[in-house]
Amino acid sequence: FFQYCLSGHPTLPCNVLKFKSTTIMLDCGLDMTSTLNFLPLPLVQSPRLSKLPGWVLKDGSTFLDKELKECSGHVFVDSVPEFCLPETELLDLSTVDVILISNYHCMMALPYITEYTGFTGTVYATEPTVQIGRLLMEELVNSIERVPKAQSASMWKNKEVQRLLPAPLKDAVEVSMWRKCYTMPEVNAALSKIQLVGYSQKIELFGAVQVTPLSSGYALGSSNWIIQSHYEKVSYVSGSSLLTTHPQPMDQASLKNSDVLILTGLTQIPTANPDGMVGEFCSNLAMTVRNGGNVLVPCYPSGVIYDLLECLYQYIDSAGLSNVPFYFISPVANSSLEFSQIFAEWLCHNKQTKVYLPEPPFPHAELIQTNKLKHYPSIHGDFSNDFKQPCVVFTGHPSLRFGDVVHFMELWGKSSLNTVIFTEPDFSYLDALAPYQPLAMKCVYCPIDTRLNFIQVSKLLKEVQPLHVVCPEQYTQPPPTQSHRTDLMIDCQPPPMSYRRAEVLTLPYKRRYEKIEIMPELADSLVPLEIKPGISLATVSAVLHTKDNKHVLQLPPKPPQPPTSKKRKRVSDDVPECKPLKPLLSGSIPVDQFVQTLEKHGFSDVKVEDTAKGHIVLLQEAETLIQIEEDSTHIICDNDEPLRVKLRDLVLKFLQKF
Amino acid sequence: MTRECALLLPGVCAALADPRQPGSDDTCLEKLLDWFRVLTRFDPTVNLVQDNPCLTEFITSVLALPEPSPSVLSFALRLAGILASSEARFQHLQQEQLLARLFGRDGPLNSALWEDASVRSGWVAGVHTMMHHQPALHFLCNGGGIDVIFTLQGDPSLFVASAASQLLVHVLTFSVESETTNSLSTTDCDWPACAQTIIKHIEDSLQSSSASHIEQSLKLLTSLFGSCRATWTKVLWLGIAKQIKSFLMEETVQVQHMLANLLLKMAWSPVFSDTEGSFWVLVTSALEHLTPVQAGPLAVGLLSLNKCPQDVRMQALTVLLQPMDCILRAASQPLEYPGLLDESVSDPAAVESLLSSKSSCASLLCQTLAHLEQLLSLIHLPVDLPYASLLRSLLAILQFCNGFLSPASPLGSTISRILIHCFRVQKSALDVLAALSERKGCDALLGNLFDVLLAYLESPNTSPTVLKKAFQATSKWLVHLRDLSCSDSQWQRTEKILEDVFLVLQKRLCSHCWEVRDSSLEFLTVLIKCLKDQDEFRQSLLSSEVPRLTENLLEDPESYVRASAVTAVGHLAFVTYFAPESPVTGTQYNKENTIAKLEEILSTDSEGFPRRAVISIFTKWLRQSQLEDTEQFVSRVIQIVERDLDWEVRLGGLELIEVFRSQTISQFGLRECPYAPVSSAVTSSAPWNEPLQTLCRAKLFGFLFRSLCDCDKPLGQRACDILLVLKGNFYPTGTPRDSQGTEDSPAKPSIAWLERTLRQGSLAHNFPTDGSNGVDFQDPESMMLALGTIDFEDLHDELNRCSDHMEKSPQSLLQDILAAVGTIEENEADCY
């Protein structure tokens, strides 16, 4: 078993598993942190951004000043943002048979894989994953395509040039692999290769492997996967949550008895408890609005936003915020809010029961009805007519590099009354804010990451007890900024096996068994012989028939009749020739008794020597050696066939035949 | 015993002994026994049993029953014990041969009923009450009763086992004290026979190999040394000291956990604490040999003792501080700070191993912290603690708990791993931190201290209960900060800390968790109460958003929060509207608006807590003379309050009236105290006129008189108290009641009606609300007449009489029991 690790990002994994004869890709996350090196894409002409000075090298050379701009001591690439793809060189991705997707955040690189590598297989994902994944891709493509940029910078990527750049550009990895965003047709083509699956549905892959998605409790339709054959079970845990939020709870029981458990997608902020953060979010929001300021929440169009809206639904009246408008701006805002209400079977129990009342499972329906929450596809159009301040705006993208959020950062950044509250944990908020400096607006970091924390992981591992754990290397040591927090790492026995980007792991598990079926007629013909109490043996002579990774033992063909005619034997006969069977021997030879027997039969000069593996019986006169070992006996005599046969028969007396 | 009771008693006894009756109510039986205890307590004569032969007959008939109910048999045993508590009655019962049948070998002791714990418990209780005279003691010893008690020490019922142990202590004490003529010397072992049996039993058990027997004897000794301080206990001790010491040293029997308590009880006894020698050596040895968890309670007990040798005290201090010392060492670089303890006197291995185990770390720390808090709460601490190091250690614990401390040692890493997010330890540590604020010597650490506290106040990971404790500790230390001498740098630091505190408070006031909003408001109130006179505090508070956010919370959906907001706003007013030097601008409410807002809450809030808070704030404001036009104000408030359905709000209204009365009386120069000499200025004609008019205009008499008949008694009592004081104000002692020219008042008939109404008791329903009976509560003349005519003293007595004084009498108890029997009989009749 091999695991090819194509992504180094622990929460945006992309691994390929060679399991038996199949090649399975587990997730294809897209690392978007590369976009933080680029200048934001403003929706309306931003004089501030366009006036940023070009970057000049220490020696005064200015050849990069068109590509790189400087803002408050940081250098940014002035070009269309690019993304860091999973490794494509480690193995031939066209050989991937299937791709298993665990949640909508972990499929953002899908078009790059399916449309660029010659991939011909199938992608498996749940329906909400596909639908919401589509929304995320649509929003991404839309946000980038609506701000066309004439210029595309590539000079800085030259290795010689990159070395001269200031950090973090200098240290950016694999810049040559960075790609521009895919297009909508590519998204559609990629999504058309997806086959929808439901939780606990068993999917056979070529008869060799069965894969099953399980609820992971993290997002609508999010799954963990079980990949198993008859004797091996690999669990793939990615982005799971034990908290009670909107999705169906995590199915832990089915992960038991795994030989290998691949663990990815743990919380990115292990020190921030999501409940505390939601509280923090509400307090800061209320405080800002009460002081007459606006609140900007950069977010994805699906996921935690549902929980935030639900929390605010309960909170706004108590906090006296009933008159403050909440705006949700995204090209897919409407679809996201509506989709969430129709995936009843994927929701937690509480929300499912609401559907039968019938009531909308999420209270944001009521917020919309009462006009407290309004949603718009973009800042243009209706929004500009309805816009009232102070207000709260939810919009993307959380990297602050593209999407409507760029506009609000430019608009509200100058006033200290306003607050931007970061709730998505994917981007460092300080890096995200860097091109907007100097900034008067208040910044609050309340990352809400409901994925498993290390305490929960340790409980989970105790509960499901996998034989081996495989995880990204980041999880095997404390976070670099808090090296004393040894509680913030995976602690299990045996210690987890870790991987990093572009590494190939041999999974610590050997195949020992394969299941083979025996045809009934063949089974009928077997006559087991009890060789020890409770253990019976039978010899089987059969033809092993293997097709679609299924193995069947069939009756051997009848021994060929002695040729009645002198016709030439057909060479192309595909039935293998069947030789007469020799009996199998079992048992051991007690040396003392054997010597006595030899003496009875007239060998008087018997000598026994002990060796490391057994004994050598020496018949000096006959110049013959009998080598007795645990699993073999050799009679060595020079060209005296009658003697050999005699000795053989004496040996055989001590052994059982069947 | 009254005649009525004497008549009822035979019936009751017969009913109780009647096997056809279902088991009587246990409470009734207990009350009956209480009554007999009262009857016999001061009367040793035989009269009770002689005059009421039904009592002995009852016991006889219970004994004659083939299968008495366990509860009745238990009752009979306890009753017999009470009756036999005097020698005369004991002899009487002996003559009737009842005691041997009850408590002897042929009694319940050897019957199947003994299986029932209540019977065994009754037996022990009976013997215990009886054991007040020699004959009883001899009866017990000669009848083999002592052995029964020995057995009962190990009874499966913990109540019986504990009672048996107590009984042995009592018998031993009684035997030694009643039968010994010469005081015992250490060499003299001439114990009375009974005492000797018990002491031998103790010694034998201690030497046995059975842990349970040893435990029983240790329990007995603990309770003996705890209750008896006579010198003979020392003689007893000398006989067993060696054995006890061996328990400390040898680990063959696991009874160490009981030794701490035993030694502590002994340390409190002057018999042992006075001695120089061996006892304290043993205590020191116990401190060394017991595990830190076992030794902790002993150490803290010793440290709160005044009479304790200094070296023992130091040893106890070492035990107590060792976990804190370990924490400090684990948290800091070697030699960075002096530890809490001198390394040469302490071996930290045991504590270190406990602290590095997940199962024991938190509990050991919590125990230690609880002990420290207990010590710090003592006003006169007989020992000086190293406060600064203690504080440093506490801060380390708190930082371990929130993951802010990089440990400097492997032990530190382990502890940090265990303690992260441990709320239990956080709460205990914050409690000690708060207690430490009253001790001196920590000022050098104030910076670190507030850093840690602010980190707790700020962190979203702080749980609401921990936050509350953090608020309490912060307020205590802020008060401490105020009391420090004010240098310039000090002043700047205080200002910065206050600024940070208010910034955090601002956010917490907007929390989505109501408990957090509530404790934030409480914290604010405490701060204002303690610090309102401090300029820096007022400036920081008023320049923050806190006042405005607090006023917003008057409309919080959670009633507890509204109540706390009312209290906070009420106190805030002392810093804003009522403080002439700091005019407030920019808030939603000015003084008038705030009063109006609070009145609105008082009249419309659906929950009681906010309304109670409003009335108590109004009273506070009035008491501090912060309001103008008080007459109008009080009148408005009273009219709102008197309709309130919550009696506590109405009671609050009466408090407001009392404050207003007191102020009005002194304002007009009337005497507050009815016995004070009359000043010449007010002896002019009708001195009562103006104040009475004021009180009448404030409409408080209607409320007062109505409250007299309120169905909630505390209101009646309070109203009556106030009316009595008013009467004293307007009819000073010596003034003839009807000398004010009201003889021919037209109000007379209505006041007579009022008096009649009040005399009829609680008549809340038909009390006039509209004055249709002609009582005009706003007419000064009528009120003067009412105050003069109505006998408030009598009314006061009546109101103060317990409402169940009828039901509590023994007669009613006996009637109740009989009534229950009667019901049964009626039912029986129905069956035919």
Side-chain angles (χ1 to χ4, degrees):
Chain A
F1 298 102
F2 294 103
Q3 181 183 325
Y4 296 77
C5 313
L6 310 188
S7 158
H9 198 300
T11 30
L12 297 169
C14 182
N15 292 302
V16 174
L17 197 65
K18 292 232 176 187
F19 186 78
K20 295 187 76 175
S21 50
T22 52
T23 306
I24 304 170
M25 180 180 274
L26 303 170
D27 283 330
C28 46
L30 183 63
D31 186 353
M32 295 199 230
T33 48
S34 56
T35 58
L36 294 174
N37 294 297
F38 292 79
L39 272 187
L41 298 179
L43 291 181
V44 280
Q45 175 70 22
S46 158
R48 185 185 70 87
L49 287 173
S50 53
K51 276 185 203 151
L52 288 177
W55 184 71
V56 182
L57 265 78
K58 270 185 196 150
D59 62 4
S61 31
T62 57
F63 68 98
L64 281 171
D65 70 344
K66 292 273 178 299
E67 288 200 354
L68 301 181
K69 303 282 176 192
E70 196 170 343
C71 174
S72 301
H74 288 82
V75 176
F76 298 95
V77 182
D78 187 8
S79 169
V80 185
E82 294 176 344
F83 307 115
C84 179
L85 267 53
E87 251 348 282
T88 49
E89 309 293 319
L90 201 60
L91 85 161
D92 180 0
L93 292 179
S94 67
T95 63
V96 171
D97 297 312
V98 292
I99 302 180
L100 307 180
I101 304 291
S102 44
N103 61 66
Y104 44 79
H105 287 297
C106 291
M107 61 183 283
M108 296 298 280
L110 195 62
Y112 293 117
I113 309 285
T114 60
E115 307 311 302
Y116 289 80
T117 62
F119 172 80
T120 53
T122 315
V123 184
Y124 291 100
T126 62
E127 191 184 356
T129 302
V130 178
Q131 297 300 354
I132 297 172
R134 177 194 295 278
L135 297 182
L136 293 183
M137 292 180 178
E138 212 177 301
E139 190 195 53
L140 183 68
V141 174
N142 183 306
S143 324
I144 291 181
E145 285 184 352
R146 67 203 263 215
V147 190
K149 198 123 185 162
Q151 186 190 357
S152 173
S154 58
M155 223 183 322
W156 71 274
K157 289 185 183 176
N158 182 312
K159 278 201 172 135
E160 296 304 311
V161 178
Q162 197 196 352
R163 247 189 304 150
L164 306 171
L165 304 182
L169 278 177
K170 183 173 68 175
D171 308 319
V173 286
E174 314 256 8
V175 287
S176 57
M177 303 268 298
W178 290 11
R179 290 284 173 274
K180 282 186 198 144
C181 189
Y182 35 71
T183 62
M184 245 1 249
E186 284 166 349
V187 169
N188 290 330
L191 296 181
S192 70
K193 297 186 172 72
I194 299 183
Q195 193 168 320
L196 299 183
V197 289
Y199 287 149
S200 304
Q201 183 183 333
K202 294 180 168 56
I203 303 137
E204 288 280 334
L205 302 183
F206 319 113
V209 178
Q210 194 182 56
V211 295
T212 314
L214 304 173
S215 171
S216 79
Y218 167 56
L220 275 178
S222 68
S223 352
N224 292 322
W225 291 85
I226 303 280
I227 302 141
Q228 60 188 341
S229 65
H230 293 294
Y231 296 101
E232 296 90 15
K233 177 171 174 182
V234 174
S235 298
Y236 174 59
V237 172
S238 162
S240 303
S241 176
L242 291 170
L243 299 179
T244 315
T245 55
H246 59 271
Q248 243 189 57
M250 176 179 178
D251 176 357
Q252 295 184 66
S254 310
L255 300 172
K256 282 187 182 167
N257 304 320
S258 303
D259 298 303
V260 175
L261 187 136
I262 304 171
L263 187 59
T264 66
L266 304 187
T267 174
Q268 300 189 70
I269 318 287
T271 49
N273 151 22
D275 283 340
M277 285 299 149
V278 170
E280 199 76 355
F281 171 80
C282 291
S283 319
N284 282 296
L285 185 142
M287 224 163 63
T288 305
V289 175
R290 279 185 199 154
N291 289 338
N294 301 293
V295 176
L296 178 62
V297 188
C299 61
Y300 294 115
S302 176
V304 174
I305 186 170
Y306 303 141
D307 297 316
L308 284 181
L309 288 175
E310 179 153 5
C311 187
L312 286 173
Y313 167 80
Q314 292 158 0
Y315 178 68
I316 48 179
D317 287 331
S318 70
L321 303 176
S322 323
N323 300 323
V324 178
F326 286 72
Y327 301 119
F328 177 21
I329 303 170
S330 162
V332 297
N334 187 29
S335 322
S336 165
L337 292 173
E338 287 186 354
F339 269 138
S340 64
Q341 306 284 22
I342 58 167
F343 289 128
E345 58 169 306
W346 305 91
L347 293 172
C348 62
H349 180 72
N350 262 352
K351 295 217 177 308
Q352 275 192 25
T353 44
K354 279 196 168 183
V355 180
Y356 297 104
L357 289 178
E359 266 175 33
F362 284 96
H364 56 236
E366 198 186 316
L367 287 176
I368 295 170
Q369 249 173 19
T370 52
N371 256 341
K372 286 177 183 160
L373 174 68
K374 295 179 185 175
H375 54 86
Y376 304 90
S378 88
I379 53 165
H380 303 297
D382 290 347
F383 174 71
S384 34
N385 302 330
D386 299 351
F387 183 47
K388 266 190 214 121
Q389 306 193 68
C391 64
V392 181
V393 170
F394 294 87
T395 187
H397 186 270
S399 67
L400 305 191
R401 292 301 178 270
F402 41 85
D404 298 276
V405 73
V406 177
H407 177 73
F408 288 99
M409 284 304 296
E410 293 287 332
L411 184 72
W412 290 342
K414 294 170 213 92
S415 163
S416 62
L417 281 179
N418 303 325
T419 306
V420 52
I421 308 182
F422 293 87
T423 56
E424 300 290 353
D426 288 352
F427 301 91
S428 145
Y429 78 106
L430 290 174
D431 291 344
L433 290 169
Y436 298 95
Q437 299 296 354
L439 195 68
M441 172 180 209
K442 281 199 280 285
C443 304
V444 178
Y445 185 52
C446 307
I448 298 168
D449 196 333
T450 57
R451 286 172 281 206
L452 297 177
N453 63 31
F454 290 97
I455 299 170
Q456 292 164 333
V457 164
S458 121
K459 277 187 194 153
L460 175 76
L461 293 180
K462 266 189 201 139
E463 180 88 19
V464 306
Q465 296 200 322
L467 290 182
H468 301 280
V469 175
V470 176
C471 65
E473 64 172 348
Q474 290 91 331
Y475 297 161
T476 57
Q477 57 216 24
T481 50
Q482 287 165 300
S483 53
H484 66 284
R485 293 290 299 266
T486 48
D487 57 320
L488 304 181
M489 55 188 267
I490 293 180
D491 178 24
C492 66
Q493 277 311 321
M497 222 180 148
S498 68
Y499 66 81
R500 59 172 75 177
R501 187 178 166 109
E503 225 174 39
V504 182
L505 286 189
T506 310
L507 292 187
Y509 188 73
K510 285 205 175 74
R511 277 176 66 187
R512 296 176 62 196
Y513 299 106
E514 186 62 84
K515 187 172 180 174
I516 297 178
E517 277 180 29
I518 299 184
M519 296 300 285
E521 308 83 59
L522 177 64
D524 269 352
S525 71
L526 300 182
V527 186
L529 193 77
E530 189 165 45
I531 56 154
K532 270 187 203 170
I535 297 179
S536 300
L537 287 182
T539 53
V540 184
S541 302
V543 174
L544 180 65
H545 185 266
T546 296
K547 188 182 175 187
D548 287 346
N549 292 306
K550 295 226 183 314
H551 313 292
V552 182
L553 284 178
Q554 296 174 339
L555 269 181
K558 298 262 159 50
Q561 296 296 318
T564 45
S565 64
K566 292 213 168 180
K567 268 186 188 170
R568 211 153 42 107
K569 210 172 165 187
R570 279 171 65 185
V571 185
S572 63
D573 197 343
D574 56 357
V575 179
E577 201 178 333
C578 200
K579 289 182 183 158
L581 299 169
K582 283 185 180 171
L584 299 175
L585 301 173
S586 74
S588 61
I589 302 164
V591 178
D592 295 343
Q593 288 177 31
F594 181 59
V595 172
Q596 284 171 15
T597 313
L598 287 175
E599 283 169 349
K600 253 188 223 167
H601 285 81
F603 298 99
S604 54
D605 53 346
V606 183
K607 259 193 169 179
V608 180
E609 281 176 22
D610 288 352
T611 64
K613 290 180 178 171
H615 310 276
I616 293 177
V617 179
L618 198 66
L619 306 177
Q620 288 173 326
E621 202 177 307
E623 289 184 12
T624 299
L625 283 176
I626 307 168
Q627 219 172 14
I628 303 173
E629 288 175 2
E630 197 186 350
D631 50 0
S632 67
T633 307
H634 296 281
I635 299 169
I636 305 164
C637 60
D638 274 345
N639 291 325
D640 189 349
E641 184 62 9
L643 177 64
R644 190 192 70 81
V645 172
K646 189 177 177 185
L647 289 174
R648 183 199 69 188
D649 291 343
L650 289 178
V651 169
L652 286 179
K653 273 188 187 168
F654 288 93
L655 299 174
Q656 282 179 303
K657 281 178 222 167
F658 59 94
Chain B
M1 190 185 298
T2 59
R3 207 175 143 268
E4 289 83 359
C5 290
L7 288 173
L8 288 168
L9 192 56
V12 171
C13 286
L16 290 176
D18 187 346
R20 292 172 305 162
Q21 300 296 333
S24 278
D25 177 7
D26 278 351
T27 332
C28 280
L29 296 181
E30 284 298 334
K31 283 183 185 166
L32 213 50
L33 287 172
D34 284 343
W35 180 48
F36 283 115
R37 270 187 208 106
V38 172
L39 287 176
T40 55
R41 185 171 298 152
F42 302 109
D43 175 18
T45 65
V46 79
N47 295 354
L48 178 67
V49 270
Q50 267 178 352
D51 297 349
N52 300 285
C54 61
L55 291 173
T56 45
E57 282 161 16
F58 163 72
I59 297 173
T60 314
S61 50
V62 170
L63 285 170
L65 290 174
E67 279 182 26
S69 94
S71 67
V72 171
L73 181 57
S74 173
F75 172 75
L77 286 162
R78 285 185 290 169
L79 175 64
I82 293 170
L83 295 177
S85 60
S86 86
E87 203 168 332
R89 286 190 302 264
F90 176 86
Q91 299 299 2
H92 180 88
L93 294 177
Q94 275 291 54
Q95 281 161 18
E96 304 258 338
Q97 294 182 333
L98 284 178
L99 292 176
R101 289 171 64 201
L102 279 168
F103 296 101
R105 290 264 162 235
D106 305 327
L109 188 53
N110 281 320
S111 77
L113 282 164
W114 193 248
E115 292 299 307
D116 194 292
S118 67
V119 174
R120 300 198 297 278
S121 162
W123 189 93
V124 174
V127 173
H128 200 133
T129 9
M130 189 196 306
M131 210 46 60
H132 285 101
H133 44 83
Q134 288 286 335
L137 188 63
H138 292 144
F139 167 75
L140 181 74
C141 295
N142 300 338
I146 289 282
D147 290 331
V148 178
I149 310 174
F150 289 155
T151 317
L152 288 175
Q153 272 187 294
D155 200 89
S157 156
L158 291 179
F159 293 105
V160 175
S162 160
S165 183
Q166 293 298 329
L167 175 55
L168 279 179
V169 171
H170 178 72
V171 173
L172 175 61
T173 316
F174 182 67
S175 163
V176 176
E177 284 170 6
S178 66
E179 297 185 304
T180 317
T181 42
N182 306 325
S183 67
L184 294 151
S185 76
T186 43
T187 46
D188 182 6
C189 292
D190 191 15
W191 300 100
C194 180
Q196 204 160 14
T197 317
I198 298 176
I199 291 170
K200 180 152 189 326
H201 170 76
I202 295 174
E203 288 170 347
D204 290 350
S205 319
L206 289 176
Q207 277 165 6
S208 77
S209 56
S210 150
S212 66
H213 284 157
I214 300 175
E215 279 186 18
Q216 285 164 16
S217 287
L218 289 177
K219 258 185 218 163
L220 196 157
L221 288 170
T222 308
S223 120
L224 174 69
F225 293 138
S227 60
C228 177
R229 306 277 160 94
T231 42
W232 60 266
T233 51
K234 195 169 171 186
V235 183
L236 168 63
W237 169 248
L238 288 176
I240 54 169
K242 207 172 156 197
Q243 188 61 35
I244 302 278
K245 196 175 175 187
S246 76
F247 294 141
L248 271 182
M249 308 301 177
E250 294 160 20
E251 303 214 330
T252 41
V253 204
Q254 295 294 321
V255 290
Q256 287 85 347
H257 62 282
M258 305 193 62
L259 296 179
N261 203 12
L262 172 68
L263 294 175
L264 198 55
K265 285 278 156 48
M266 291 173 73
W268 280 101
S269 165
V271 179
F272 299 97
S273 63
D274 280 347
T275 55
E276 288 281 310
S278 60
F279 171 69
W280 292 113
V281 174
L282 183 65
V283 171
T284 315
S285 163
L287 288 171
E288 268 169 33
H289 286 91
L290 294 177
T291 66
V293 178
Q294 291 164 350
L298 176 61
V300 75
L302 291 171
L303 285 171
S304 21
L305 271 181
N306 278 324
K307 281 184 178 176
C308 175
Q310 186 61 16
D311 55 336
V312 178
R313 196 173 276 163
M314 289 325 289
Q315 177 75 24
L317 194 60
T318 306
V319 167
L320 192 63
L321 293 181
Q322 210 159 39
M324 304 301 285
D325 182 57
C326 262
I327 291 282
L328 198 55
R329 287 180 202 279
S332 53
Q333 300 291 345
L335 301 176
E336 194 179 351
Y337 302 113
L340 273 158
L341 297 169
D342 182 356
E343 255 180 292
S344 59
V345 298
S346 65
D347 170 25
V351 171
E352 277 180 12
S353 92
L354 284 172
L355 285 180
S356 40
S357 147
K358 202 165 190 172
S359 56
S360 54
C361 178
S363 51
L364 175 63
L365 279 180
C366 284
Q367 178 185 307
T368 307
L369 291 166
H371 287 156
L372 282 171
E373 197 199 349
Q374 194 183 330
L375 269 191
L376 288 169
S377 65
L378 296 178
I379 300 167
H380 299 295
L381 197 56
V383 61
D384 248 349
L385 293 173
Y387 296 118
S389 301
L390 194 56
L391 178 58
R392 205 171 271 129
S393 178
L394 278 173
L395 295 180
I397 292 180
L398 286 168
Q399 284 176 302
F400 273 138
C401 288
N402 65 5
F404 280 14
L405 191 68
S406 316
S409 65
L411 176 65
S413 311
T414 315
I415 294 176
S416 134
R417 222 185 141 93
I418 297 172
L419 288 187
I420 275 184
H421 300 318
C422 183
F423 294 157
R424 213 150 57 95
V425 175
Q426 288 177 349
K427 282 189 275 188
S428 305
L430 285 165
D431 277 339
V432 184
L433 198 65
L436 208 56
S437 67
E438 281 152 33
R439 307 281 165 174
K440 291 194 168 63
C442 301
D443 297 345
L445 292 167
L446 283 174
N448 295 355
L449 169 88
F450 277 103
D451 285 348
V452 172
L453 281 174
L454 279 165
Y456 268 80
L457 296 182
E458 253 164 34
S459 167
N461 291 337
T462 307
S463 87
T465 47
V466 174
L467 183 74
K468 196 176 170 120
K469 299 265 180 200
F471 273 141
Q472 282 164 358
T474 309
S475 58
K476 292 234 174 166
W477 279 98
L478 281 173
V479 172
H480 175 90
L481 209 58
R482 177 198 63 184
D483 299 339
L484 290 179
S485 61
C486 256
S487 67
D488 249 8
S489 63
Q490 187 77 42
W491 193 87
Q492 277 172 353
R493 186 167 69 178
T494 306
E495 200 178 28
K496 174 79 182 75
I497 291 171
L498 284 170
E499 203 175 284
D500 291 345
V501 165
F502 286 124
L503 217 56
V504 156
L505 191 58
Q506 237 165 276
K507 196 177 76 184
R508 293 297 189 180
L509 286 172
C510 296
S511 168
H512 73 311
C513 171
W514 73 262
E515 288 96 334
V516 171
R517 298 198 297 275
D518 195 47
S519 33
S520 307
L521 288 166
E522 282 171 4
F523 170 66
L524 176 65
T525 306
V526 171
L527 284 191
I528 298 174
K529 270 186 193 167
C530 301
L531 300 173
K532 62 173 182 288
D533 300 328
Q534 193 190 18
D535 284 339
E536 301 98 275
F537 171 77
R538 280 201 309 269
Q539 277 167 17
S540 300
L541 172 62
L542 295 178
S543 59
S544 74
E545 294 291 333
V546 168
R548 219 166 43 80
L549 293 171
T550 307
E551 281 171 355
N552 278 345
L553 291 178
L554 289 173
E555 288 173 17
D556 199 276
E558 187 61 50
S559 63
Y560 297 114
V561 179
R562 288 200 300 279
S564 300
V566 166
T567 313
V569 165
H571 282 83
L572 208 51
F574 292 115
V575 186
T576 54
Y577 328 122
F578 300 148
E581 72 274 24
S582 54
V584 187
T585 51
T587 53
Q588 193 181 344
Y589 302 108
N590 55 27
K591 184 173 171 180
E592 282 68 36
N593 286 349
T594 305
I595 295 174
K597 179 67 198 164
L598 294 193
E599 279 177 15
E600 184 196 322
I601 292 176
L602 187 62
S603 52
T604 58
D605 202 297
S606 57
E607 298 284 334
F609 304 107
R611 303 199 306 268
R612 288 178 206 169
V614 172
I615 190 71
S616 106
I617 278 299
F618 281 168
T619 311
K620 193 173 174 68
W621 282 354
L622 189 66
R623 191 172 286 133
Q624 310 237 345
S625 314
Q626 299 290 3
L627 295 159
E628 298 132 21
D629 197 6
T630 48
E631 185 186 311
Q632 275 288 322
F633 171 74
V634 171
S635 151
R636 271 200 320 272
V637 173
I638 294 301
Q639 285 177 70
I640 301 172
V641 164
E642 65 182 348
R643 294 192 305 267
D644 204 294
L645 294 175
D646 186 315
W647 71 268
E648 286 192 49
V649 176
R650 298 199 298 277
L651 191 64
L654 290 177
E655 293 305 326
L656 184 81
I657 286 181
E658 167 55 19
V659 173
F660 182 63
R661 177 208 63 76
S662 159
Q663 287 178 346
T664 312
I665 295 301
S666 53
Q667 183 192 345
F668 287 99
L670 273 183
R671 291 170 305 167
E672 182 59 32
C673 167
Y675 306 105
V678 183
S679 77
S680 57
V682 292
T683 43
S684 55
S685 67
W688 45 269
N689 207 2
E690 264 191 87
L692 193 59
Q693 274 175 3
T694 311
L695 296 178
C696 284
R697 279 198 305 270
K699 302 194 177 86
L700 48 79
F701 280 106
F703 181 39
L704 277 174
F705 279 107
R706 237 165 268 141
S707 296
L708 283 177
C709 299
D710 199 290
C711 53
D712 286 298
K713 212 163 173 190
L715 267 101
Q717 289 168 331
R718 188 74 186 111
C720 195
D721 289 343
I722 297 171
L723 284 165
L724 268 171
V725 179
L726 274 170
K727 185 172 193 165
N729 292 145
F730 293 108
Y731 293 98
T733 324
T735 328
R737 294 273 147 102
D738 290 323
S739 65
Q740 307 293 330
T742 51
E743 295 91 356
D744 304 321
S745 164
K748 213 167 179 180
S750 61
I751 298 305
W753 171 87
L754 177 64
E755 194 175 8
R756 278 199 310 279
T757 309
L758 294 174
R759 287 215 162 277
Q760 285 164 19
S762 301
L763 288 173
H765 349 283
N766 32 13
F767 198 88
T769 46
D770 52 357
S772 57
N773 279 292
V775 187
D776 182 356
F777 291 111
Q778 291 180 48
D779 171 35
E781 211 168 296
S782 301
M783 290 304 104
M784 194 63 194
L785 184 62
L787 287 175
T789 7
I790 297 171
D791 187 350
F792 292 111
E793 281 88 352
D794 188 36
L795 211 53
H796 186 260
D797 291 346
E798 196 162 313
L799 284 165
N800 279 346
R801 208 171 292 153
C802 206
S803 59
D804 63 349
H805 69 280
M806 283 301 284
E807 289 73 21
K808 255 169 118 179
S809 68
Q811 190 182 339
S812 107
L813 173 67
L814 296 175
Q815 279 166 344
D816 279 352
I817 297 175
L818 281 177
V821 177
T823 329
I824 306 285
E825 279 166 0
E826 275 165 28
N827 288 348
E828 269 178 353
D830 284 347
C831 290
Y832 287 101

